[in-house]
Amino acid sequence: MFQRIRSYCLSGIHAIPVSVEVDSSLGLPGFTLVGLPDSAVRESRERVVSAVRASGYSVTGTRTTVNLSPADLRKEGSSLDLPLAIGMLLASGEFEVNQIDRFVFLGELSLDGLLKPVRGVLSVAMSLVEEKDSVLVVPKDNIQEASLVEGLNVLGVSSLLECIEELKKDCSSLLIRSQGFSSHLKKNHPSYPDFKNIIGMEGVKRALEIAASGNHNFLLVGSPGSGKTLCAKCLPSILPEMTEDEIIESTRIHSCAKSIHSQNFSFIAERPFRSPHHSSTMVSLVGGGHQLLPGEVSLAHNGVLFLDELPEFNRQVLEALREPMEEGSVCIHRASGSIEWPARFMMGAAMNPCPCGYSMDLKKECTCLPDMKVRYWSKISGPLLDRIDLQISVPAMDITRLKSTSGLESSATIKKRVKVARTFQEDRFKNSKILYNSEMTSLQTREEAKMDSEAEHFAITAAEKMCLSARGYYRVLKVARTIADLRSSKNVEKLDLAEAFQYRLLK
Ligand SMILES: [Zn+2]
């Protein structure tokens, strides 16, 4: 008998429909699987046969041919276990189901027939949103994720046996109609540290406020223990809340990366703050690898990617960040095709000014030889440094100031100003594809950063004196535009430019 079962496979964050075609006939017992399966799919036969036996059925003793269609798409992962098991049972006549075309199956089987959660369920659910009659059958642990899409029929089952029983009963007991995203949205308290707990460092706080307002990349340079990392960790607390679209998009990426699904599933409702270790490889940072998983740059989408101890990262790994920083996405090419992952993030980094860490310190002496410093700085290339809008010097903390704790601004107050600046940008870019000042092209920068002749003269003279490249000059103008937005000013003035030039510490 022939059976066709519907399922989906992932290609990046997109879900692609896949048909599992099973033909079961009499003859010498055997099993053939065709249609570009990867090793996890090829191994599924062993899992499926054991799971079927554990559920009290049998599919051995027949000649079974399975085709995964379309044949030119590489099928990865273990989510095809459940559709394969159901297809084999139906093809061998173990039980019958009305309108099997209505059902879309996803799930990994264990040998005892229990279902384990799989990646990318949210993407599949979104592909099915137009089909009001379809039923998405997923492992119980994935049910919350599947029900983020409103109006979808979802059946969550914990084992193959439960799935069979439900199908026999026409899913009368477990089927739910999902309420959608808003029913899951509960206001939880932000988990990021607050700026009000940081004493002093007003200059750094101001610079991070500008970074947050225009989504500018930043680099903090300062002595060890000066509070660079702590300041950066407070940054998400002043970024505006995520929109619904952003939440869905980020959750999809995290769901495809296997980093969220579990019984206590929660979607990404706070701006991600990813801080990968400096020993990270190219694949873990940019994405790809055997399973073509998203990297840290994509997991930081709509949030912050923070690289602490920047010079300790492999130089090639850092260079690979240039493409996502410019494009807002990462394209990974393989022989089997190419995949694009969204990667629109704010990049932050921190480093010491020299290997010993004290060349900017007024109290401690730097013990580095000149060539050690040169080698240290040479780990960060000019083009990368050029792409960092705000290069911020973090002075060592004056211990005597630690006593005063009054009058410190909270993150909520700063966030209000950031939101105002972002409103100006929303208005400015409502007819274009970009969202923030940091993404403007040079032409847009010239148009939007309107200056009077005195301010322009000042900008050009300062850029010449500092030997800025053309790109460096435009970066300064973009930062000055954001500073003017924070003042709610239409024109960029000399004081905005003067402040913006301060943040070109290195180049
Ligand atoms: Zn030193």
Side-chain angles (χ1 to χ4, degrees):
M1 239 175 11
F2 172 82
Q3 274 297 337
R4 182 181 285 124
I5 306 290
R6 291 174 65 197
S7 187
Y8 275 82
C9 270
L10 289 177
S11 171
I13 60 167
H14 302 289
I16 314 281
V18 169
S19 292
V20 180
E21 299 167 358
V22 185
D23 184 55
S24 201
S25 56
L26 294 173
L28 275 178
F31 182 89
T32 317
L33 178 64
V34 293
L36 224 60
D38 81 338
S39 53
V41 181
R42 272 199 302 275
E43 287 160 5
S44 62
R45 191 235 168 198
E46 313 304 326
R47 289 192 295 273
V48 166
V49 170
S50 291
V52 166
R53 200 183 306 128
S55 310
Y57 293 86
S58 170
V59 286
T60 46
T62 53
R63 182 172 187 78
T64 308
T65 310
V66 177
N67 178 36
L68 306 173
S69 150
D72 60 346
L73 173 78
R74 190 174 157 79
K75 285 87 183 172
E76 287 176 324
S78 47
S79 63
L80 294 174
D81 285 5
L82 181 62
L84 187 58
I86 297 291
M88 284 166 73
L89 283 165
L90 291 175
S92 54
E94 292 285 325
F95 72 105
E96 280 180 18
V97 182
N98 288 331
Q99 291 182 299
I100 190 70
D101 282 351
R102 280 172 62 211
F103 296 92
V104 173
F105 295 89
L106 290 176
E108 177 187 327
L109 283 169
S110 60
L111 296 184
D112 56 0
L114 292 180
L115 276 165
K116 293 184 191 166
V118 291
R119 296 189 287 131
V121 170
L122 180 56
S123 291
V124 176
M126 289 179 79
S127 314
L128 288 171
V129 69
E130 300 290 315
E131 301 182 29
K132 296 294 172 204
D133 289 336
S134 291
V135 179
L136 178 60
V137 185
V138 292
K140 212 159 209 159
D141 288 348
N142 282 129
I143 192 159
Q144 272 191 297
E145 192 183 338
S147 55
L148 284 180
V149 177
E150 197 177 345
L152 189 71
N153 302 309
V154 184
L155 181 67
V157 284
S158 54
S159 67
L160 177 62
L161 186 62
E162 191 174 39
C163 181
I164 297 169
E165 296 301 321
E166 279 297 309
L167 290 174
K168 280 183 185 169
K169 286 191 288 184
D170 215 16
C171 328
S172 50
S173 57
L174 289 177
L175 189 69
I176 59 157
R177 199 164 173 88
S178 59
Q179 298 296 311
F181 166 81
S182 45
S183 66
H184 290 267
L185 195 62
K186 39 181 185 290
K187 286 269 174 245
N188 37 5
H189 293 287
S191 53
Y192 294 112
D194 199 291
F195 272 117
K196 73 174 177 213
N197 299 322
I198 299 180
I199 303 165
M201 310 189 79
E202 303 306 329
V204 182
K205 286 184 196 172
R206 165 73 179 167
L208 290 178
E209 180 181 332
I210 297 168
S213 302
N215 215 47
H216 296 287
N217 301 322
F218 64 91
L219 170 65
L220 301 167
V221 185
S223 313
S226 55
K228 306 181 290 278
T229 313
L230 180 62
C231 271
K233 282 185 176 160
C234 292
L235 181 64
S237 66
I238 60 167
L239 291 171
E241 290 86 15
M242 292 175 89
T243 62
E244 281 195 18
D245 286 347
E246 284 176 333
I247 292 177
I248 291 276
E249 203 175 19
S250 288
T251 307
R252 276 178 82 178
I253 299 172
H254 284 250
S255 147
C256 292
K258 213 173 187 169
S259 50
I260 51 168
H261 69 247
S262 68
Q263 275 161 325
N264 41 13
F265 164 82
S266 67
F267 50 84
I268 310 296
E270 274 188 356
R271 302 234 167 235
F273 183 86
R274 306 291 299 190
S275 178
H277 190 252
H278 57 70
S279 63
S280 297
T281 60
M282 178 92 82
V283 166
S284 71
L285 211 61
V286 179
H290 177 59
Q291 286 182 292
L292 289 174
L293 292 176
E296 288 292 333
V297 292
S298 301
L299 297 175
H301 183 65
N302 292 322
V304 182
L305 178 74
F306 181 65
L307 307 177
D308 208 353
E309 307 293 347
L310 188 67
E312 304 298 327
F313 279 82
N314 182 318
R315 188 177 163 138
Q316 271 183 324
V317 172
L318 289 182
E319 292 305 298
L321 290 178
R322 277 159 51 180
E323 186 205 331
M325 280 166 79
E326 290 287 313
E327 307 293 330
S329 62
V330 184
C331 204
I332 298 158
H333 300 278
R334 286 284 181 281
S336 53
S338 60
I339 282 180
E340 193 175 283
W341 288 102
R344 189 181 231 165
F345 56 90
M346 183 198 288
M347 196 197 90
M351 64 184 285
N352 296 329
C354 64
C356 84
Y358 294 103
S359 74
M360 280 165 61
D361 203 295
L362 299 174
K363 289 183 187 154
K364 281 194 184 174
E365 196 132 340
C366 169
T367 53
C368 305
L369 297 171
D371 67 320
M372 283 165 72
K373 279 190 197 172
V374 171
R375 233 178 304 143
Y376 184 72
W377 278 96
S378 69
K379 291 182 185 168
I380 307 159
S381 74
L384 181 71
L385 216 49
D386 223 21
R387 284 173 170 78
I388 297 175
D389 299 355
L390 298 160
Q391 299 156 359
I392 307 152
S393 154
V394 184
M397 182 71 198
D398 182 2
I399 299 291
T400 52
R401 290 196 57 194
L402 287 177
K403 279 187 291 184
S404 63
T405 53
S406 59
L408 293 172
E409 249 185 341
S410 72
S411 291
T413 318
I414 305 174
K415 193 185 210 168
K416 275 186 199 148
R417 293 199 294 267
V418 171
K419 275 186 182 166
V420 171
R422 290 238 175 156
T423 323
F424 279 100
Q425 294 167 64
E426 263 169 41
D427 206 39
R428 181 174 302 139
F429 303 125
K430 59 178 181 276
N431 294 326
S432 76
K433 279 184 183 169
I434 62 171
L435 300 170
Y436 312 111
N437 287 339
S438 58
E439 295 172 313
M440 289 192 286
T441 60
S442 16
L443 185 69
Q444 276 172 316
T445 314
R446 265 206 302 272
E447 278 172 9
E448 298 298 343
K450 287 193 191 76
M451 296 177 276
D452 59 21
S453 57
E454 193 196 343
E456 194 165 11
H457 176 72
F458 171 78
I460 289 174
T461 322
E464 255 178 12
K465 275 198 183 148
M466 291 171 76
C467 307
L468 287 190
S469 65
R471 182 156 56 197
Y473 174 67
Y474 282 118
R475 299 251 156 205
V476 173
L477 292 192
K478 288 178 200 179
V479 174
R481 178 64 265 170
T482 306
I483 297 171
D485 283 342
L486 277 166
R487 287 192 304 118
S488 307
S489 159
K490 279 204 165 162
N491 281 346
V492 173
E493 286 173 21
K494 213 168 142 184
L495 79 163
D496 305 318
L497 289 162
E499 189 178 355
F501 273 109
Q502 275 180 40
Y503 301 125
R504 301 304 295 183
L505 173 74
L506 309 165
K507 206 177 181 187

